[in-house]
Amino acid sequence: MYSIFRKARGIEANIEKFLKNIETAVDLFELGLKEYFSGKMDRFEERCSAIRELESDSDSLRFDIKFTLYSDLLIPDSRGDVLGLIETLDNVIDIAEKVYLQFSIEQPIIYDWLVEDFRALTEVSVKTVHMLIPSIRAFFNEPRAVADRVGQVHFWEHEADDAELRIKRKVFASEEIEQFSRKMHLRYFAEKISSVADMAEAVAERLEVYAIKREL
Amino acid sequence: MLLFLSSGLFLGWSLGANDAANVWGTAVGTRMVRFRTAAFICALFVIAGAVAGGSGGAETLGKLAAIPTIAGAFTVALAAALSVFLMTKAALPVSTSQAIVGALLGWTFFARKPVDFAVLGRIMGTWVFSPILTALLSILLYFGVRFVLARVRVHLIRMDALTRFLLIGAGAFGSYSLGANNIANVMGVFVPSQIFPNVNLGVVEITGVQLLFGLGGLSIALGVFTYSKQVMTTVGSEIYRLNPVTAFIVVLSSAIVLFLFASEGLQEAMRSVGLPTFPLVPVSSSQSIVGGVIGIGVAQGGHNIRYGVLGRIALGWLATPVIAALVAFVVLYVMQNVFALSVL
């Protein structure tokens, strides 16, 4: 019996570490992109490897959690939900890493008059993820509180959509950007940054259902 | 001697194979508890319950019909076992508790003795009352547990570990109660025959009835080890889908009810403080569990409750004793007139 409690503590610790990794990764994502928008390319590139390390560490944690839940037959009733949650949550960090890498490879030109908008979009996208993490913790500890917290995720995802739309309108209305391909490029990157918030919302939607199932 | 006891031992085996699944089904079926762990704890506590707390129910059954000959007791237990077998084959709801009462009535009719309707009424009243009481208890426990869980923040994973611990505790209590309450069905009819003498071990004296019940407990344990695994898996995954916490509530409610109808100590304690007492009567653990599951369904808003199950239980209350009485009458006739056994 003692070993079950010991294993439970181990998985709890891994889940918490996994959540902290995501928080740290999106914080680095925000800081790095802001540095990119300010033209501090060295600092931007330095953060790239840190995000990749976190992503790789999260993959290992995800595997450990999955393996222990299955091999020790833990939480038979909610195992599928928890694993589904961890898998989709891992997509958030994957997307953040990919978007970051695309900035590093494609290096889109962010015009000065667009920097504030891109900064705002990055902030609200990351804020959506920051709202998601307490919802996940609530799912594990206090399922009744999930609905309220998930409301915040929806709110910030909507803000991210608005910020993305503002950038797109500005870009396509601009006469300064002559090449259509460049406009498409900026639209693409606005959508990519916003996709981090979209993924967070997708996790939140799953979470709402899982939380209802968890209530006695 | 063992030949005469064989019908009771078979009833015990059948009880172990089927009713242990009521207590451990969800825990084993959902793999919260390993079968080996469940079987070991179940066997241990069933025997403990049978030896330590099984005499009350047997005494009540004895008031309905005290069979003085071992051949008669053998035949009545055989008739009950046959009834359970036949009704199970016919897919009719059946309970050993109700079958043995029916078989005892069959003996009473065969012996042309008067039926004690006061005792019979009390026994049948508990059949109706026990699932209702389990349902009420499970509703109460459901809201109690929900109240606590809403205030105590327990991590899902730790809750899982805690629930396993609780399921094992409730399972042990349920097994003890099952042994104490249902041993009368298995060995109760043999009590008046005084098969075993009292044994003095110096420090403690084991009565002949305790030895008889211990043997019955062993037959239940054998049923648990040899045949209950499949039944447990079926109960756990097919008959009712409860989550581990609600399963704990149902098992605990049922265990409490079985204990209430079996414990002489509790009866004495309630009497001493002027409270109304519970009659000590073997009740059906299956019907008690169904009552508990329905209680959970009611507490969760009354959706998805299969009310047809209630009708089947009510049918069992009437059909089982009638069929068992008829079977007993026929088998007693055969034993007396074909095998020339003294069954009266």
Side-chain angles (χ1 to χ4, degrees):
Chain A
M1 191 50 65
Y2 172 74
S3 75
I4 291 179
F5 281 98
R6 194 163 43 83
K7 278 173 191 160
R9 274 199 299 275
I11 295 185
E12 279 175 49
N14 274 352
I15 291 172
E16 187 51 36
K17 202 173 166 200
F18 183 75
L19 296 179
K20 282 198 171 132
N21 267 7
I22 291 168
E23 285 182 310
T24 312
V26 293
D27 281 343
L28 290 175
F29 173 81
E30 183 182 344
L31 285 172
L33 285 191
K34 283 181 174 174
E35 278 155 4
Y36 179 89
F37 303 143
S38 312
K40 297 172 187 166
M41 294 305 286
D42 290 349
R43 297 293 303 277
F44 168 78
E45 292 296 348
E46 276 169 27
R47 296 198 193 279
C48 195
S49 58
I51 292 176
R52 291 179 82 172
E53 262 175 43
L54 284 169
E55 197 275 331
S56 162
D57 191 33
S58 297
D59 279 344
S60 305
L61 285 169
R62 180 171 56 86
F63 179 79
D64 279 352
I65 294 165
K66 193 174 173 176
F67 182 78
T68 317
L69 287 182
Y70 270 112
S71 62
D72 294 326
L73 304 169
L74 298 175
I75 50 165
D77 208 44
S78 325
R79 194 186 305 143
D81 292 351
V82 170
L83 291 177
L85 195 63
I86 300 286
E87 297 279 352
T88 46
L89 202 52
D90 192 47
N91 289 344
V92 174
I93 199 166
D94 282 351
I95 288 176
E97 187 212 3
K98 276 181 191 155
V99 174
Y100 204 91
L101 213 58
Q102 276 164 326
F103 264 94
S104 171
I105 295 163
E106 298 182 27
Q107 304 208 340
I109 296 165
I110 309 292
Y111 295 88
D112 289 345
W113 48 273
L114 276 177
V115 164
E116 268 317 303
D117 291 305
F118 267 96
R119 286 174 73 95
L121 173 60
T122 309
E123 275 171 17
V124 287
S125 276
V126 168
K127 182 97 175 170
T128 313
V129 179
H130 276 300
M131 288 295 119
L132 174 69
I133 301 300
S135 317
I136 308 271
R137 289 197 178 105
F139 166 77
F140 283 110
N141 292 299
E142 197 186 0
R144 278 165 178 243
V146 167
D148 286 343
R149 307 226 163 140
V150 161
Q152 290 287 308
V153 178
H154 291 305
F155 173 81
W156 288 105
E157 194 279 335
H158 188 69
E159 288 294 304
D161 283 346
D162 285 349
E164 177 194 339
L165 205 65
R166 259 197 313 276
I167 291 173
K168 283 177 177 175
R169 284 189 190 286
K170 273 190 178 178
V171 166
F172 284 95
S174 164
E175 288 179 1
E176 191 181 329
I177 310 171
E178 289 176 355
Q179 287 172 291
F180 186 70
S181 60
R182 195 157 282 173
K183 288 183 180 184
M184 292 294 283
H185 204 206
L186 286 168
R187 188 199 75 171
Y188 172 79
F189 273 95
E191 283 175 354
K192 282 290 159 192
I193 296 172
S194 187
S195 69
V196 174
D198 292 339
M199 196 62 229
E201 192 182 41
V203 178
E205 278 168 6
R206 274 175 176 254
L207 197 60
E208 280 176 298
V209 179
Y210 296 159
I212 292 168
K213 282 167 74 181
R214 249 211 83 188
E215 277 188 34
L216 201 58
Chain B
M1 187 77 72
L2 267 178
L3 184 72
F4 279 119
L5 279 176
S6 62
S7 57
L9 296 175
F10 174 69
L11 263 181
W13 177 84
S14 155
L15 190 89
N18 288 296
D19 289 30
N22 294 328
V23 179
W24 292 96
T26 305
V28 173
T30 57
R31 299 184 179 187
M32 291 288 280
V33 179
R34 281 186 301 181
F35 173 73
R36 269 188 306 172
T37 310
F40 178 74
I41 296 172
C42 184
L44 199 70
F45 279 86
V46 157
I47 295 170
V51 174
S55 56
E59 201 176 304
T60 308
L61 289 186
K63 283 179 192 161
L64 191 66
I67 305 167
T69 61
I70 191 163
F74 163 77
T75 312
V76 165
L78 180 68
L82 272 175
S83 307
V84 170
F85 176 74
L86 290 173
M87 288 185 73
T88 308
K89 275 277 174 198
L92 288 167
V94 64
S95 132
T96 315
S97 309
Q98 286 144 25
I100 200 79
V101 167
L104 283 170
L105 284 175
W107 182 86
T108 310
F109 293 136
F110 188 80
R112 296 174 188 225
K113 288 184 184 283
V115 175
D116 189 335
F117 284 101
V119 175
L120 183 64
R122 205 159 60 226
I123 290 173
M124 292 187 80
T126 61
W127 294 348
V128 181
F129 187 53
S130 64
I132 296 172
L133 186 63
T134 315
L136 291 174
L137 261 177
S138 70
I139 292 171
L140 207 69
L141 282 170
Y142 174 86
F143 286 112
V145 170
R146 204 167 78 159
F147 179 84
V148 171
L149 287 181
R151 274 145 194 86
V152 182
R153 292 171 57 173
V154 187
H155 195 284
L156 172 68
I157 311 286
R158 201 168 304 191
M159 187 68 209
D160 176 74
L162 189 65
T163 309
R164 283 164 200 262
F165 184 72
L166 292 173
L167 276 172
I168 289 175
F173 179 38
S175 303
Y176 178 90
S177 299
L178 182 71
N181 188 283
N182 275 204
I183 192 66
N185 297 332
V186 177
M187 289 289 154
V189 287
F190 297 100
V191 172
S193 305
Q194 297 180 333
I195 296 168
F196 297 113
N198 293 356
V199 177
N200 197 334
L201 296 175
V203 190
V204 65
E205 188 182 358
I206 301 170
T207 65
V209 173
Q210 282 176 322
L211 278 175
L212 182 70
F213 286 179
L215 189 65
L218 278 173
S219 72
I220 298 175
L222 193 69
V224 173
F225 275 106
T226 55
Y227 210 74
S228 69
K229 189 174 184 178
Q230 201 179 341
V231 189
M232 282 185 192
T233 315
T234 310
V235 168
S237 58
E238 286 173 22
I239 294 177
Y240 54 93
R241 288 180 185 276
L242 298 170
N243 68 33
V245 177
T246 47
F248 158 72
I249 293 169
V250 169
V251 171
L252 183 61
S253 310
S254 175
I256 291 171
V257 168
L258 259 64
F259 185 74
L260 287 174
F261 287 109
S263 173
E264 284 177 302
L266 185 70
Q267 189 188 50
E268 199 50 50
M270 287 174 85
R271 188 177 290 131
S272 67
V273 289
L275 285 171
T277 58
F278 289 89
L280 305 181
V281 174
V283 293
S284 162
S285 68
S286 311
Q287 290 172 10
S288 174
I289 286 280
V290 171
V293 175
I294 288 172
I296 294 289
V298 170
Q300 288 178 332
H303 311 294
N304 302 324
I305 296 177
R306 289 159 61 198
Y307 289 100
V309 174
L310 297 177
R312 284 175 67 81
I313 289 180
L315 175 73
W317 290 333
L318 296 172
T320 313
V322 171
I323 291 171
L326 285 172
V327 171
F329 199 92
V330 172
V331 179
L332 283 164
Y333 184 85
V334 171
M335 289 292 179
Q336 189 180 55
N337 297 297
V338 178
F339 295 99
L341 289 171
S342 168
V343 293
L344 298 177

